[in-house]
């Protein structure tokens, strides 16, 4: 899987052979396998490359996840 996450280089992630991965769009991927532990581990590793951050809302998120946004610094 080739991930373009905003870094200066693409990230190549080798998906294990046990997992079936489908692309559901430009920004969505669907991972399946009977063992949910392996699927969760792969999803956590992919998310670890660029976790969601609360100030701009960018990052890799799970489906249906909402990231609570924080207010930035204000000038006094």
């Amino acid at each position: 899987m080739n991930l373009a996450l905003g870094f200066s280089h693409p990230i190549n992630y080798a998906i294990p052979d046990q997992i079936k991965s489908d692309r559901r769009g430009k920004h969505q991927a669907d991972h399946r396998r009977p063992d949910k532990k392996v699927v969760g581990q792969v999803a956590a590793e992919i998310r670890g490359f660029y976790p969601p951050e609360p100030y701009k809302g960018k990052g890799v998120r799970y489906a249906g996840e909402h990231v609570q946004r924080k207010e930035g610094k204000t000038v006094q």
Side-chain angles (χ1 to χ4, degrees):
M1 177 179 267
N2 190 6
L3 303 170
L5 299 176
F7 297 121
S8 63
H9 60 284
I11 296 175
N12 297 318
Y13 180 75
I15 297 177
D17 294 334
Q18 303 94 356
I19 291 184
K20 179 182 176 189
S21 179
D22 297 325
R23 296 211 21 123
R24 290 194 291 155
K26 185 175 180 182
H27 301 288
Q28 294 180 344
D30 191 20
H31 305 293
R32 295 186 194 144
R33 183 173 192 269
D35 187 8
K36 290 185 179 182
K37 181 179 178 182
V38 175
V39 173
Q41 182 64 34
V42 168
E45 289 175 3
I46 292 173
R47 181 187 171 117
F49 291 124
Y50 193 37
E53 55 98 8
Y55 294 100
K56 291 186 179 180
K58 295 181 179 183
V60 177
R61 288 179 265 155
Y62 297 129
E65 180 183 13
H66 177 73
V67 176
Q68 186 70 28
R69 299 282 305 269
K70 290 185 177 179
E71 185 177 335
K73 292 183 179 180
T74 59
V75 178
Q76 294 185 17

